[in-house]
Amino acid sequence: MTATSDPTQLSELAARATDNRVNLDFETEGMTLNMGPQHPATHGTLRIVARLDGEQVVSAEPIPGYMHRGYEKLTEVRSYPQINTLVNRIDWLGSFANEVPFILAAERLMGVEAPPRAQWIRTILFELSRIANISLFLGDYGLQLGGMTAGFYAFRDREHVLNQIEAATGGRFHPNYDRIGGLKDDLPKGWIANTHNAMDKILAFCDEMDDLLIGNEIFQSRTRGIGVIPADIALSYGLSGANLRASGVDWDLRRDSCPPGLVYDQVDWKVWTHPDGDCFGRTWVRFQETREAALIVKQLLDTIPSGPVMAKVPRIIKVPEGEAYVETENPLGAMGYYIVSKGDLVPFRVKIRSASFNNISVVPWVARGAYVPDLISILGSLYFILGDIDR
Amino acid sequence: MTLLLASFDPPYWLSTLIKVLVISAVVPTTALILGMVFLFKVMSWMQSRLGPQEAGPRGTLQLLADGVKFLQKEDIAPNGADLFIFKIAPLVVLMSTLLLYVALPASAHLVISDLDVGVFYVMAVSSLSVLGVLMAGWASANKYSLMGGLRAAGQLIAYELPMVLAVLGVVIQAGTLSLNGIVFAQADGSIFGWDAIGNPYILTQFVGFAIFLAAVQAELTQPPFDMPVAESEIVSGYQVEYTGFRFLIFFLAEFATAFVFAGVASILFLGGWAVPWLDTSSDWYYVLGPIVLFAKVMLVSFLIFWIRFTYPRFREDQLQSFAWKFLIPLALVNIVVTAVLKVVL
Amino acid sequence: MPKVPGLVKGLGVTFGEMVKTLKDGPQTTLYPHEREVPTPRARGVISLHEENCTACMLCARECPDWCIFIEAHKYLAPPRREGGKPRQKNALDRFDIDFSLCMYCGICVEVCPFEALFWSPEHEYSEVHIADLLHDKSRLGQWMQTVPEFEAYEAGSEAKVKKVPRN
């Protein structure tokens, strides 16, 4: 049984959730299971307090905050280049993607635009971080469901992408490459050809995952029909990214409101949606997105314009007064930075809208009536990263 | 050679002592070999890596090092645990494994106890481990262990039935319950008059073989049937509170049971310790028998572990419906068809 | 009942991978017997070219972790020409980077106006005691030997390749 939308059943579940004697027929007591901060299935230190009736979840409540690092307070006392370094560590699997909306918001306040070559390379790295992030999701979801081999394949093939990011930026996980007005440095010789190779390997990896995991009947029986989130519920809870697209909502910030600074309008690409809102749909959408990202990167690599990678910006960055909010389609969902500047070296306030925080807000709704293994399946398919939830 | 061994007629206490020593040497060794080859090496090769390399030449002594590590750990029990049951639960599981080795023949004479009802004994004794698992799950005073134990109870009992029913087809065809008798029947049998390779029952009982392998996978709580020990959900289920020597006993019991079930599968379906071109009363089997059995066991274990490393796990209710609604009816149909064909042909 | 093909294809994938590992070798490197060579731009350790440093303190100020410790004193250098004024210069007494705090962001390297700091891909310098992770001036100077030459840029780039001072 999965989440229901029948009002009678829902009210009955709600009543059972509050009553200590969960199963009124048998006069049994429910069990409170604490999937605590240390658990293999939560991507990090997320605590889920679940009340169970046997193996069925009656209510589940996520309790984040175990990894709160005080980012928004930190940004009040750090200059813009320093914030750029810190911001890498919010979503640590696709870390270049965290820098992009912050830099774009600052560029909007300063009124500078990066030269075309920088925009191209910025978009390429953005998509590379998307591939790094989501290919790990595919492997990790297999791990959570028991197919441990898929996890190893994901790590193995993600290395190619990380090697390319390291060749260009110097850091595999924390590139710290985006600058207000462009990029830190240009690409080294041979990078384009090597990245083409890496993308071919990623496409081969996608085919392998198709055979090993997505086409596997056991995987499908674990994920089809589980954790269905209808479109209106998804929109009302503020889901974004692949979670929203898997519920049938055709919404992608790269296409709909691409901010100046990224060049998605120069590439021929497709947005993938799935009509059911179940775990399989979310996995499938992300799987297709990985392939699509590899194809986007290949197209961009062939059309990089020549030119400088840095616009004329003063050495000491003082952003003029104002407020700007830029939201981009990050690997985890829609991530946005709202920068309030008073004309200093240091921003007055930076509010970070992270995707995973909204993504897990739907867990209490979707976990009602699910079994414990289904809870794992649902949590895995929602794909959050704790650094993104807690910041 | 027969004369030499015929003259070796030890008194009862000596033969019992030898048998005890053999079992206590063989059981950990087989567990070690299976664990080393499949869990470390073959799994690593399937995952594009090489596995342990440092302990021993090419990492072959890694499990030995792990065993020593487990032995020197502190003996702790959780705070609210039921201590007596907590402590003897692994021993119950190990006991059922040791009892299984008693009936496994490595040759016509190399068997601890040549039982007339070997198959029946094996099936009966293998279900004793359910008790140990339940005891471990309950006595650990941990909600995850309890969930694991309850899942294990349902699963292990559910998959006993397909195992027994799958074996019945072989028994009907062989006409005997004795394990050595089944080996003789396969070695001396013929396929429609062509007796070059004897009559390995896998050819006629392929359905039974598939069901038996699936049931063995479930009895060992290996993926895709490892809900009781689901690593990423309830983190080792009923074994989660066990450390050190007690965990080593669970580990040994799991891999030794894998070996003995693979041994039973190779005896029932692949012809056991006999090779088709050598007569079963030959003396070569004192040496050749164990080697042939070992090779066949490695083959069957490869199948079991290959499936383990590839598939995600079933949910508990899907697992149960797979057993009750698919495997058991299929096994019953297999028995009926075998019985009919045995009478007709 | 599940169709056979999906399950069988998965088995084929793992079996093929096993054969490939046995034939071509694993995808992992057996550290420490084999070592991976990082890219030239990899951020391993920071090295100091002392001649270029004027103790302007920009790197120490911009570091997000405040892990650079600089002490300097002024001295009078002889005039460049005969009869000129003595010039005031800074001499470095102490330039320490505490790598237990450093987050390898590269702001110090980027912000230095005199190009005295360089990245080196050398990464095997772990220590037993955490106090040994404070690299002093001489050790930072020794890392200069491991700094690779700047790579040529990709086609279409307008950036100029900088030179690493060697002496």
Side-chain angles (χ1 to χ4, degrees):
Chain A
M1 189 165 98
T2 61
T4 69
S5 45
D6 183 40
T8 0
Q9 278 182 306
L10 282 181
S11 56
E12 194 209 328
L13 276 174
R16 282 160 73 195
T18 51
D19 192 350
N20 196 34
R21 297 169 306 146
V22 170
N23 191 326
L24 294 173
D25 304 321
F26 285 112
E27 297 270 328
T28 56
E29 249 184 57
M31 179 166 89
T32 307
L33 186 71
N34 186 30
M35 295 174 64
Q38 292 166 327
H39 190 96
T42 59
H43 277 234
T45 55
L46 179 68
R47 177 176 168 210
I48 300 204
V49 179
R51 297 211 60 238
L52 305 177
D53 170 24
E55 283 238 352
Q56 203 172 29
V57 173
V58 171
S59 76
E61 187 193 338
I63 303 182
Y66 284 88
M67 199 186 258
H68 181 66
R69 294 168 283 179
Y71 263 93
E72 298 180 4
K73 187 69 190 166
L74 274 176
T75 56
E76 291 178 11
V77 287
R78 295 273 187 280
S79 64
Y80 287 85
Q82 293 173 332
I83 297 179
N84 200 4
T85 300
L86 286 177
V87 150
N88 269 317
R89 286 144 170 89
I90 293 182
D91 163 18
W92 49 73
L93 289 177
S95 18
F96 185 79
N98 303 315
E99 304 176 29
V100 169
F102 175 71
I103 293 289
L104 292 179
E107 279 181 0
R108 186 183 291 182
L109 279 177
M110 281 194 78
V112 302
E113 199 178 311
R117 187 177 169 86
Q119 293 189 19
W120 244 258
I121 300 178
R122 198 185 263 164
T123 316
I124 292 176
L125 279 171
F126 196 51
E127 287 302 308
L128 279 182
S129 69
R130 186 185 311 276
I131 295 174
N133 198 338
I134 303 187
S135 61
L136 187 74
F137 156 76
L138 289 172
D140 196 54
Y141 198 38
L143 259 175
Q144 288 186 4
L145 290 183
M148 54 187 103
T149 321
F152 280 93
Y153 290 169
F155 274 107
R156 174 197 69 187
D157 285 309
R158 199 166 157 259
E159 283 297 304
H160 305 300
V161 174
L162 291 181
N163 284 339
Q164 288 311 108
I165 298 182
E166 191 190 19
T169 71
R172 281 151 52 97
F173 260 57
H174 300 305
N176 194 19
Y177 194 57
D178 222 353
R179 298 281 178 269
I180 298 180
L183 298 168
K184 174 178 164 196
D185 201 0
D186 211 323
L187 302 170
K189 200 171 184 59
W191 196 85
I192 295 182
N194 288 342
T195 313
H196 265 295
N197 284 343
M199 291 301 107
D200 292 330
K201 293 205 176 95
I202 291 287
L203 289 170
F205 161 73
C206 285
D207 294 332
E208 211 176 36
M209 278 293 121
D210 205 358
D211 285 338
L212 183 63
L213 200 63
I214 304 210
N216 193 317
E217 280 80 13
I218 302 179
F219 177 82
Q220 291 191 359
S221 68
R222 281 299 294 274
T223 51
R224 277 202 196 273
I226 310 284
V228 177
I229 305 180
D232 50 337
I233 300 284
L235 282 170
S236 75
Y237 271 97
L239 296 186
S240 51
N243 297 332
L244 191 57
R245 286 194 283 280
S247 295
V249 179
D250 189 12
W251 183 82
D252 190 324
L253 282 173
R254 292 175 285 179
R255 181 193 57 195
D256 300 334
S257 62
C258 183
L262 293 173
V263 290
Y264 284 104
D265 44 353
Q266 311 276 342
V267 191
D268 185 28
W269 61 287
K270 191 176 136 108
V271 174
W272 294 88
T273 61
H274 198 270
D276 327 324
D278 55 5
C279 295
F280 184 76
R282 293 189 274 274
T283 313
W284 188 86
V285 165
R286 289 201 174 92
F287 175 68
Q288 300 296 347
E289 272 182 17
T290 315
R291 273 205 181 123
E292 200 65 39
L295 294 172
I296 294 178
V297 169
K298 278 169 110 55
Q299 285 182 50
L300 284 173
L301 284 173
D302 291 330
T303 56
I304 294 188
S306 39
V309 284
M310 193 71 182
K312 281 268 174 280
V313 248
R315 217 177 156 130
I316 312 281
I317 305 264
K318 260 195 181 167
V319 172
E321 230 175 284
E323 303 175 351
Y325 178 65
V326 169
E327 208 175 42
T328 54
E329 183 74 24
N330 274 36
L332 290 176
M335 184 179 210
Y337 288 78
Y338 186 75
I339 303 184
V340 176
S341 164
K342 296 252 187 276
D344 271 341
L345 286 172
V346 165
F348 181 68
R349 170 95 167 89
V350 173
K351 156 87 184 127
I352 308 175
R353 189 259 184 217
S354 59
S356 304
F357 191 72
N358 296 51
N359 283 351
I360 62 158
S361 64
V362 80
V363 165
W365 188 91
V366 91
R368 291 170 311 173
Y371 289 123
V372 170
D374 289 337
L375 186 62
I376 306 292
S377 201
I378 293 170
L379 284 176
S381 74
L382 282 178
Y383 195 45
F384 46 84
I385 290 188
L386 255 301
D388 208 32
I389 301 179
D390 293 338
R391 285 158 279 154
Chain B
M1 176 108 129
T2 326
L3 282 171
L4 181 67
L5 281 158
S7 63
F8 182 65
D9 186 22
Y12 183 65
W13 63 269
L14 186 60
S15 66
T16 315
L17 185 66
I18 293 175
K19 289 177 183 177
V20 165
L21 286 174
V22 162
I23 289 254
S24 35
V26 161
V27 169
T29 314
T30 53
L32 272 173
I33 292 177
L34 263 179
M36 196 58 230
V37 171
F38 290 110
L39 187 64
F40 282 169
K41 287 299 178 183
V42 170
M43 172 158 103
S44 312
W45 292 333
M46 284 187 179
Q47 292 163 353
S48 313
R49 56 192 180 97
L50 283 183
Q53 294 286 312
E54 296 296 318
R58 304 290 215 100
T60 42
L61 296 182
Q62 180 67 37
L63 263 186
L64 211 60
D66 277 342
V68 172
K69 176 196 80 170
F70 279 127
L71 287 175
Q72 50 96 34
K73 278 191 188 274
E74 188 186 346
D75 180 15
I76 53 177
N79 208 1
D82 196 340
L83 274 180
F84 179 64
I85 300 186
F86 183 78
K87 288 183 180 174
I88 66 172
L91 297 175
V92 171
V93 177
L94 187 64
M95 177 191 71
S96 98
T97 308
L98 292 173
L99 285 173
L100 276 172
Y101 271 89
V102 165
L104 195 69
S107 146
H109 302 284
L110 291 177
V111 59
I112 304 290
S113 173
D114 196 359
L115 295 168
D116 280 337
V117 290
V119 169
F120 180 73
Y121 169 79
V122 161
M123 294 294 128
V125 146
S126 68
S127 39
L128 284 177
S129 57
V130 182
L131 269 177
V133 167
L134 264 177
M135 287 160 71
W138 173 256
S140 290
N142 183 334
K143 282 175 189 162
Y144 287 110
S145 303
L146 186 63
M147 285 175 65
L150 291 174
R151 288 174 177 181
Q155 174 182 315
L156 294 176
I157 293 177
Y159 278 88
E160 288 288 335
L161 281 160
M163 198 155 74
V164 172
L165 293 175
V167 160
L168 271 179
V170 170
V171 169
I172 292 176
Q173 235 186 318
T176 165
L177 277 175
S178 149
L179 284 171
N180 264 332
I182 295 180
V183 174
F184 292 146
Q186 287 182 74
D188 301 333
S190 56
I191 311 172
F192 294 122
W194 178 58
D195 57 353
I197 57 168
N199 186 13
Y201 288 146
I202 191 173
L203 295 173
T204 48
Q205 295 284 324
F206 50 89
V207 175
F209 183 61
I211 299 177
F212 189 76
L213 273 190
V216 161
Q217 198 94 5
E219 284 295 316
L220 296 169
T221 58
Q222 307 257 24
F225 304 106
D226 75 336
M227 263 289 134
V229 201
E231 248 181 80
S232 49
E233 296 171 30
I234 52 178
V235 203
S236 286
Y238 61 91
Q239 294 173 357
V240 77
E241 291 287 349
Y242 284 90
T243 58
F245 189 55
R246 303 184 205 286
F247 179 74
L248 188 64
I249 294 180
F250 269 125
F251 186 77
L252 273 181
E254 181 183 337
F255 280 89
T257 316
F259 189 90
V260 79
F261 273 132
V264 168
S266 50
I267 286 176
L268 292 175
F269 295 99
L270 289 179
W273 47 261
V275 273
W277 51 83
L278 195 56
D279 187 55
T280 47
S281 55
S282 153
D283 283 333
W284 283 107
Y285 278 122
Y286 280 106
V287 172
L288 202 60
I291 297 177
V292 168
L293 185 66
F294 185 74
K296 293 183 184 173
V297 163
M298 282 288 130
L299 192 67
V300 175
S301 307
F302 178 72
L303 278 177
I304 294 178
F305 282 98
W306 189 16
I307 295 184
R308 172 193 177 144
F309 301 138
T310 310
Y311 293 150
R313 64 179 65 99
F314 277 118
R315 209 174 55 203
E316 185 70 16
D317 57 326
Q318 295 166 345
L319 220 156
Q320 299 276 1
S321 63
F322 182 63
W324 291 98
K325 294 190 198 167
F326 180 69
L327 284 186
I328 291 183
L330 191 62
L332 288 172
V333 164
N334 181 38
I335 292 175
V336 167
V337 168
T338 310
V340 165
L341 288 177
K342 173 91 175 170
V343 170
V344 162
L345 290 176
Chain C
M1 216 24 233
K3 310 186 300 289
V4 170
L7 294 170
V8 171
K9 272 199 265 184
L11 284 178
V13 166
T14 40
F15 193 77
E17 193 58 42
M18 183 175 88
V19 170
K20 196 159 81 146
T21 310
L22 287 172
K23 235 179 11 153
D24 298 332
Q27 299 260 356
T28 52
T29 28
L30 292 176
Y31 192 86
H33 307 292
E34 313 164 1
R35 274 157 222 254
E36 266 186 0
V37 178
T39 64
R41 282 194 193 179
R43 301 201 284 257
V45 77
I46 303 175
S47 58
L48 170 71
H49 186 70
E50 209 179 319
E51 273 86 26
N52 290 5
C53 177
T54 60
C56 66
M57 307 280 188
L58 260 175
C59 54
R61 259 184 281 154
E62 292 299 313
C63 175
D65 288 332
W66 306 292
C67 69
I68 304 185
F69 305 98
I70 303 181
E71 283 168 20
H73 65 267
K74 296 202 223 299
Y75 72 100
L76 288 175
R80 254 192 229 110
R81 292 186 306 264
E82 274 298 320
K85 258 196 345 203
R87 296 168 293 149
Q88 195 175 59
K89 286 179 79 162
N90 284 334
L92 268 184
D93 290 330
R94 174 184 177 216
F95 190 108
D96 294 342
I97 299 184
D98 188 358
F99 280 104
S100 62
L101 288 176
C102 173
M103 55 195 244
Y104 299 90
C105 62
I107 289 183
C108 56
V109 176
E110 212 180 319
V111 112
C112 176
F114 302 101
E115 291 183 22
L117 288 171
F118 296 92
W119 272 116
S120 156
E122 180 63 45
H123 54 274
E124 295 172 11
Y125 51 92
S126 27
E127 303 280 350
V128 173
H129 302 289
I130 204 170
D132 293 338
L133 280 178
L134 182 78
H135 291 200
D136 60 355
K137 205 165 43 138
S138 56
R139 194 153 178 211
L140 291 175
Q142 281 167 5
W143 289 126
M144 279 303 294
Q145 297 162 9
T146 57
V147 173
E149 291 297 332
F150 281 106
E151 293 175 287
Y153 286 110
E154 186 70 90
S157 155
E158 288 181 10
K160 282 204 275 288
V161 183
K162 294 195 273 206
K163 282 215 162 327
V164 177
R166 310 244 184 232
N167 49 349

